[in-house]
Amino acid sequence: MSAADTDHLYIGSAGEYRVMAELLARGYNVAVPRVDTGDDVLVIKVEDEGDEYSLRRVQVKTARPATKSGSYTFKVKRLQLESAANVDLWYVFLARSSDRWLSTMVFRREVLRDVQWKRQRKSSGDTVTFEITLSDDGKTAMLGSAELSKHIDDWEDWPTILPGTLTPLRR
Amino acid sequence: MEPVFIFLGVQSDGVTYQLDTASRDRLRAVPGARPVDRVFIAYDTKGEYERQHGPFDHQAVQLLTGLSMERLAELGGVELYDPRSQTSITLPAQSAA
Protein backbone atom coordinates (compact mmCIF):
# COMPACT_ATOMS: atom_id res chain seq x y z
CA MET A 1 0.00 0.00 0.00
CA SER A 2 1.35 3.42 -0.94
CA ALA A 3 1.91 6.21 1.57
CA ALA A 4 -0.90 8.18 -0.08
CA ASP A 5 -3.32 5.29 0.37
CA THR A 6 -2.33 4.90 4.00
CA ASP A 7 -2.73 8.63 4.59
CA HIS A 8 -6.18 8.51 2.96
CA LEU A 9 -7.29 5.65 5.21
CA TYR A 10 -6.10 7.35 8.39
CA ILE A 11 -7.57 10.74 7.52
CA GLY A 12 -10.82 9.15 6.36
CA SER A 13 -11.18 7.22 9.57
CA ALA A 14 -10.27 10.28 11.65
CA GLY A 15 -12.95 12.24 9.81
CA GLU A 16 -15.60 9.67 10.60
CA TYR A 17 -14.70 9.75 14.29
CA ARG A 18 -14.73 13.55 14.26
CA VAL A 19 -18.25 13.62 12.85
CA MET A 20 -19.44 10.93 15.22
CA ALA A 21 -18.02 12.88 18.15
CA GLU A 22 -19.93 15.97 17.09
CA LEU A 23 -23.17 14.04 16.71
CA LEU A 24 -22.73 12.33 20.07
CA ALA A 25 -22.06 15.66 21.75
CA ARG A 26 -25.36 16.85 20.31
CA GLY A 27 -27.20 13.90 21.74
CA TYR A 28 -27.50 11.56 18.77
CA ASN A 29 -26.62 7.92 19.06
CA VAL A 30 -24.34 6.69 16.30
CA ALA A 31 -23.45 3.33 14.82
CA VAL A 32 -21.02 2.17 12.19
CA PRO A 33 -22.21 -0.70 9.99
CA ARG A 34 -20.16 -3.82 10.57
CA VAL A 35 -19.87 -4.31 6.82
CA ASP A 36 -19.23 -1.28 4.62
CA THR A 37 -22.09 -1.10 2.15
CA GLY A 38 -21.95 2.60 1.50
CA ASP A 39 -23.04 4.22 4.75
CA ASP A 40 -20.31 5.59 6.98
CA VAL A 41 -22.47 6.37 9.99
CA LEU A 42 -26.00 5.51 10.97
CA VAL A 43 -27.60 7.90 13.42
CA ILE A 44 -30.44 6.96 15.67
CA LYS A 45 -32.46 9.69 17.26
CA VAL A 46 -34.62 8.29 20.01
CA GLU A 47 -37.70 10.49 20.38
CA ASP A 48 -39.09 8.66 23.33
CA GLU A 49 -38.24 5.79 25.57
CA GLY A 50 -40.68 3.69 23.61
CA ASP A 51 -40.59 2.77 19.95
CA GLU A 52 -40.43 6.31 18.61
CA TYR A 53 -37.15 6.84 16.84
CA SER A 54 -35.81 8.13 13.57
CA LEU A 55 -32.91 6.89 11.53
CA ARG A 56 -30.52 9.06 9.54
CA ARG A 57 -27.53 8.28 7.39
CA VAL A 58 -24.31 10.25 7.23
CA GLN A 59 -21.64 10.00 4.57
CA VAL A 60 -18.29 11.47 5.59
CA LYS A 61 -15.79 12.65 2.99
CA THR A 62 -12.33 13.93 3.79
CA ALA A 63 -9.80 15.69 1.61
CA ARG A 64 -6.38 17.25 1.74
CA PRO A 65 -5.48 20.23 -0.44
CA ALA A 66 -4.40 19.54 -3.99
CA THR A 67 -0.72 20.18 -4.52
CA LYS A 68 -1.08 22.76 -7.27
CA SER A 69 -4.43 24.50 -6.84
CA GLY A 70 -4.80 24.14 -3.09
CA SER A 71 -8.45 23.18 -3.57
CA TYR A 72 -10.11 20.24 -1.86
CA THR A 73 -11.64 17.48 -3.95
CA PHE A 74 -14.55 15.48 -2.58
CA LYS A 75 -15.97 12.58 -4.55
CA VAL A 76 -19.40 11.11 -3.99
CA LYS A 77 -21.23 8.28 -5.67
CA ARG A 78 -23.55 9.63 -8.33
CA LEU A 79 -26.28 7.07 -7.78
CA GLN A 80 -26.38 7.78 -4.06
CA LEU A 81 -26.46 11.53 -4.62
CA GLU A 82 -29.26 11.41 -7.16
CA SER A 83 -31.45 8.77 -5.55
CA ALA A 84 -34.42 9.47 -3.38
CA ALA A 85 -34.78 7.36 -0.24
CA ASN A 86 -37.03 7.02 2.74
CA VAL A 87 -34.11 7.54 5.12
CA ASP A 88 -32.52 10.99 5.06
CA LEU A 89 -28.87 11.26 4.09
CA TRP A 90 -26.35 13.96 4.94
CA TYR A 91 -22.90 14.51 3.53
CA VAL A 92 -20.17 15.96 5.71
CA PHE A 93 -17.08 17.25 3.88
CA LEU A 94 -14.00 17.65 6.05
CA ALA A 95 -10.97 19.55 4.80
CA ARG A 96 -7.69 18.71 6.45
CA SER A 97 -4.89 21.23 5.98
CA SER A 98 -1.42 20.25 7.19
CA ASP A 99 -2.03 19.24 10.80
CA ARG A 100 -5.51 20.62 11.51
CA TRP A 101 -9.07 20.42 10.35
CA LEU A 102 -9.65 23.55 8.33
CA SER A 103 -13.32 23.30 7.57
CA THR A 104 -16.41 21.15 8.05
CA MET A 105 -19.22 21.45 5.52
CA VAL A 106 -22.59 19.82 6.13
CA PHE A 107 -25.09 19.18 3.34
CA ARG A 108 -28.40 17.42 3.28
CA ARG A 109 -28.44 15.16 0.22
CA GLU A 110 -30.98 17.17 -1.75
CA VAL A 111 -29.06 20.37 -1.09
CA LEU A 112 -25.82 18.91 -2.41
CA ARG A 113 -27.73 17.48 -5.35
CA ASP A 114 -29.07 20.95 -6.07
CA VAL A 115 -25.57 22.35 -5.99
CA GLN A 116 -24.50 19.76 -8.52
CA TRP A 117 -27.52 20.08 -10.82
CA LYS A 118 -27.18 23.83 -11.00
CA ARG A 119 -23.65 23.33 -12.28
CA GLN A 120 -24.46 20.49 -14.61
CA ARG A 121 -27.91 19.03 -14.93
CA LYS A 122 -26.80 15.47 -15.31
CA SER A 123 -23.55 13.86 -14.36
CA SER A 124 -21.80 11.15 -16.23
CA GLY A 125 -19.82 8.35 -14.70
CA ASP A 126 -20.17 6.74 -11.32
CA THR A 127 -18.84 9.61 -9.23
CA VAL A 128 -19.53 13.30 -8.88
CA THR A 129 -16.59 15.50 -7.99
CA PHE A 130 -16.79 18.65 -5.90
CA GLU A 131 -13.63 20.72 -6.10
CA ILE A 132 -13.93 23.27 -3.33
CA THR A 133 -11.70 26.24 -2.70
CA LEU A 134 -11.37 27.37 0.90
CA SER A 135 -10.03 30.58 2.34
CA ASP A 136 -6.99 30.34 4.61
CA ASP A 137 -9.16 30.58 7.71
CA GLY A 138 -11.57 27.94 6.37
CA LYS A 139 -14.58 30.22 6.71
CA THR A 140 -15.26 30.78 3.02
CA ALA A 141 -15.97 27.95 0.59
CA MET A 142 -16.41 28.26 -3.14
CA LEU A 143 -17.33 25.71 -5.77
CA GLY A 144 -16.52 27.53 -8.99
CA SER A 145 -18.62 30.66 -8.71
CA ALA A 146 -21.05 29.11 -6.23
CA GLU A 147 -20.62 30.18 -2.64
CA LEU A 148 -20.95 27.30 -0.18
CA SER A 149 -19.89 29.13 2.98
CA LYS A 150 -23.32 28.86 4.57
CA HIS A 151 -22.79 25.10 4.77
CA ILE A 152 -19.67 25.44 6.91
CA ASP A 153 -20.48 24.09 10.37
CA ASP A 154 -24.12 24.07 9.34
CA TRP A 155 -25.52 21.76 12.02
CA GLU A 156 -28.98 23.33 11.85
CA ASP A 157 -30.57 19.96 11.07
CA TRP A 158 -28.81 18.54 14.12
CA PRO A 159 -29.87 20.67 17.06
CA THR A 160 -28.49 19.66 20.41
CA ILE A 161 -31.01 17.41 22.06
CA LEU A 162 -29.13 16.62 25.24
CA PRO A 163 -30.66 17.99 28.41
CA GLY A 164 -29.65 21.61 29.01
CA THR A 165 -27.05 22.06 31.70
CA LEU A 166 -24.75 19.61 33.35
CA THR A 167 -25.13 19.08 37.09
CA PRO A 168 -21.93 20.04 38.94
CA LEU A 169 -20.26 17.20 40.73
CA ARG A 170 -20.64 17.24 44.50
CA ARG A 171 -17.50 16.99 46.53
CA MET B 1 -43.02 26.38 -18.10
CA GLU B 2 -40.62 23.96 -16.45
CA PRO B 3 -42.12 20.62 -15.43
CA VAL B 4 -42.34 19.60 -11.80
CA PHE B 5 -39.24 17.47 -11.30
CA ILE B 6 -39.27 14.34 -9.16
CA PHE B 7 -36.41 12.08 -8.20
CA LEU B 8 -37.06 8.37 -7.91
CA GLY B 9 -35.26 5.97 -5.62
CA VAL B 10 -35.72 2.23 -5.71
CA GLN B 11 -34.65 0.31 -2.64
CA SER B 12 -35.09 -3.32 -1.76
CA ASP B 13 -38.09 -2.51 0.42
CA GLY B 14 -39.88 0.02 -1.71
CA VAL B 15 -39.74 3.11 -3.84
CA THR B 16 -39.38 6.76 -2.88
CA TYR B 17 -40.61 9.77 -4.83
CA GLN B 18 -38.99 13.07 -3.90
CA LEU B 19 -39.63 16.57 -5.22
CA ASP B 20 -36.54 18.48 -6.15
CA THR B 21 -36.14 21.55 -3.99
CA ALA B 22 -36.85 24.06 -6.76
CA SER B 23 -40.12 22.29 -7.66
CA ARG B 24 -41.11 22.09 -4.00
CA ASP B 25 -40.49 25.79 -3.49
CA ARG B 26 -42.42 26.61 -6.64
CA LEU B 27 -45.41 24.48 -5.63
CA ARG B 28 -45.58 26.15 -2.22
CA ALA B 29 -46.74 29.27 -4.03
CA VAL B 30 -49.47 27.44 -5.99
CA PRO B 31 -52.94 27.75 -4.45
CA GLY B 32 -54.26 24.37 -3.35
CA ALA B 33 -50.90 22.64 -3.52
CA ARG B 34 -49.51 21.03 -0.38
CA PRO B 35 -46.16 19.65 -1.40
CA VAL B 36 -44.45 17.19 0.89
CA ASP B 37 -40.83 16.23 0.69
CA ARG B 38 -41.21 12.55 -0.08
CA VAL B 39 -43.63 9.72 -0.56
CA PHE B 40 -42.50 6.19 0.15
CA ILE B 41 -44.37 3.12 -1.07
CA ALA B 42 -43.31 -0.08 0.64
CA TYR B 43 -42.99 -3.36 -1.18
CA ASP B 44 -42.06 -6.78 0.06
CA THR B 45 -39.62 -7.31 -2.75
CA LYS B 46 -37.93 -5.26 -5.41
CA GLY B 47 -39.49 -7.50 -8.04
CA GLU B 48 -42.91 -6.52 -6.80
CA TYR B 49 -42.04 -2.89 -7.43
CA GLU B 50 -40.75 -3.63 -10.90
CA ARG B 51 -44.06 -5.29 -11.74
CA GLN B 52 -46.36 -2.78 -10.12
CA HIS B 53 -44.81 0.66 -9.91
CA GLY B 54 -46.27 2.05 -13.11
CA PRO B 55 -49.88 2.32 -11.90
CA PHE B 56 -48.74 3.98 -8.64
CA ASP B 57 -46.74 6.77 -10.23
CA HIS B 58 -49.78 9.00 -10.66
CA GLN B 59 -51.07 8.40 -7.15
CA ALA B 60 -47.65 8.99 -5.63
CA VAL B 61 -47.23 12.23 -7.55
CA GLN B 62 -50.63 13.48 -6.45
CA LEU B 63 -49.82 12.69 -2.82
CA LEU B 64 -46.46 14.38 -3.20
CA THR B 65 -47.85 17.60 -4.62
CA GLY B 66 -51.43 17.72 -3.40
CA LEU B 67 -52.51 18.52 -6.96
CA SER B 68 -54.39 16.60 -9.61
CA MET B 69 -52.59 15.43 -12.72
CA GLU B 70 -54.69 17.86 -14.76
CA ARG B 71 -53.59 20.78 -12.61
CA LEU B 72 -49.99 19.61 -12.80
CA ALA B 73 -50.28 19.47 -16.59
CA GLU B 74 -51.30 23.15 -16.51
CA LEU B 75 -48.21 23.86 -14.46
CA GLY B 76 -45.88 22.32 -17.02
CA GLY B 77 -46.36 18.60 -16.39
CA VAL B 78 -44.31 16.16 -14.39
CA GLU B 79 -40.89 14.68 -15.09
CA LEU B 80 -39.72 11.58 -13.22
CA TYR B 81 -35.98 11.03 -13.01
CA ASP B 82 -34.57 7.57 -12.42
CA PRO B 83 -30.90 7.79 -11.38
CA ARG B 84 -30.31 4.13 -12.12
CA SER B 85 -30.75 4.67 -15.84
CA GLN B 86 -30.03 8.42 -15.70
CA THR B 87 -33.15 8.99 -17.72
CA SER B 88 -36.21 11.05 -17.10
CA ILE B 89 -39.69 10.40 -18.41
CA THR B 90 -42.57 12.77 -18.80
CA LEU B 91 -45.47 11.39 -16.84
CA PRO B 92 -48.62 11.46 -18.95
CA ALA B 93 -51.58 13.25 -17.41
CA GLN B 94 -53.68 10.13 -17.70
CA SER B 95 -52.72 6.86 -16.08
CA ALA B 96 -52.61 3.88 -18.41
CA ALA B 97 -53.95 1.67 -15.61
Side-chain angles (χ1 to χ4, degrees), chain B residues 4-22:
Chain B
V4 170
F5 201 84
I6 294 169
F7 288 92
L8 202 61
V10 182
Q11 289 88 45
S12 58
D13 58 347
V15 58
T16 304
Y17 298 79
Q18 183 176 36
L19 280 169
D20 88 321
T21 52

Side-chain angles (χ1 to χ4, degrees), chain A residues 78-79 82-89 108-111 113-114 117 121-125, chain B residues 5 7-9 11 13 16-19 21-22 37-38 40 79 81 83-84 86-88:
Chain A
R78 183 195 59 76
L79 186 58
E82 293 182 344
S83 282
N86 59 333
V87 178
D88 282 331
L89 171 67
R108 205 175 174 129
R109 170 172 30 199
E110 45 269 41
V111 172
R113 189 167 64 201
D114 260 13
W117 278 53
R121 184 166 165 88
K122 284 176 187 170
S123 316
S124 56
Chain B
F5 201 84
F7 288 92
L8 202 61
Q11 289 88 45
D13 58 347
T16 304
Y17 298 79
Q18 183 176 36
L19 280 169
T21 52
D37 183 53
R38 284 166 296 179
F40 175 68
E79 207 171 322
Y81 176 73
R84 296 174 304 169
Q86 290 186 269
T87 56
S88 54

